[in-house]
């Protein structure tokens, strides 16, 4: 039995012109732990960016001990899927201060990763003082919220 071959022709419409302003380019940069970092925006809100660990000052590092089991679990998770939740960092005059994310920060140190994903909020020296007082007074980082302190400033 002979086989027949059919040819199918598609009729394509002419291309539709798309104005240049319809799309805006997005730059995605891979981080050291494999998670994309967002480009800073000019909206004045928090910005997600990669910051070298040695550039983050941690004033309350000696006031609490991290749970070693939690740090190990985070290390395993970061190795496999990268850091999922950035740490909160306050930027004052170009200097970064970290008060939360202690377990994630230590996990990055122990893994030897040079940078960590951070949610950066800008603040004044007065905001930094208020935030430090809040955290020192409570000695529980969970009770301190960057958003509350920044709004109070």
């Amino acid at each position: 039995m002979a086989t027949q071959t059919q040819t199918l022709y598609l009729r394509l419409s002419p291309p539709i012109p798309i104005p240049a302003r319809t799309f805006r380019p997005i730059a995605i940069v891979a981080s050291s732990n494999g998670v994309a970092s967002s480009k800073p925006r000019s909206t004045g809100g928090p910005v997600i960016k990669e910051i070298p660990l040695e550039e983050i000052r941690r004033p309350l590092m000696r006031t609490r001990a991290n749970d070693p089991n939690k740090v190990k679990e985070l290390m395993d998770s970061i190795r496999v899927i990268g850091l999922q939740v950035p740490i909160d960092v306050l930027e004052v005059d170009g200097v970064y201060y970290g008060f939360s994310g202690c377990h994630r920060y230590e996990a990055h140190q122990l893994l030897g990763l040079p940078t960590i994903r951070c949610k950066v909020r800008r603040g004044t020296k007065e905001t930094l003082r208020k935030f430090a007082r809040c955290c020192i007074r409570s000695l529980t980082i969970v009770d301190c919220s960057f958003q509350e302190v920044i709004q109070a400033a």
Side-chain angles (χ1 to χ4, degrees):
M1 179 183 263
T3 59
Q4 281 189 320
T5 306
Q6 291 184 346
T7 305
L8 178 64
Y9 292 97
L10 295 176
R11 182 175 167 179
L12 301 175
S13 61
I16 301 170
I18 300 174
R21 294 183 184 159
T22 302
F23 302 103
R24 67 182 170 97
I26 298 174
I28 298 177
V29 180
S31 70
S32 63
N33 62 3
V35 179
S37 175
S38 68
K39 188 176 179 185
R41 295 167 292 193
S42 59
T43 60
V47 174
I48 306 295
K49 64 192 248 184
E50 290 284 325
I51 299 176
L53 292 174
E54 68 269 5
E55 289 184 19
I56 302 171
R57 294 187 184 178
R58 305 207 40 96
L60 302 177
M61 189 174 257
R62 294 179 192 93
T63 62
R64 63 179 279 179
N66 290 334
D67 176 1
N69 293 328
K70 187 172 181 180
V71 172
K72 185 184 178 327
E73 288 174 10
L74 279 166
M75 287 173 64
D76 294 341
S77 172
I78 291 168
R79 242 188 239 111
V80 175
I81 61 173
L83 181 65
Q84 298 300 297
V85 179
I87 65 170
D88 287 320
V89 171
L90 184 64
E91 180 185 358
V92 178
D93 297 333
V95 179
Y96 300 106
Y97 296 90
F99 293 93
S100 64
C102 300
H103 291 89
R104 289 169 282 169
Y105 184 88
E106 185 177 340
H108 270 69
Q109 281 183 317
L110 294 173
L111 286 169
L113 297 172
T115 62
I116 187 166
R117 244 180 123 194
C118 301
K119 182 190 294 185
V120 181
R121 298 184 199 298
R122 289 198 173 165
T124 63
K125 289 182 181 179
E126 183 57 26
T127 305
L128 178 62
R129 279 191 286 276
K130 286 180 180 181
F131 194 79
R133 278 195 302 266
C134 167
C135 290
I136 290 169
R137 198 173 328 125
S138 68
L139 283 180
T140 53
I141 308 306
V142 176
D143 294 340
C144 297
S145 162
F146 273 131
Q147 198 61 36
E148 291 169 1
V149 175
I150 289 172
Q151 287 173 349

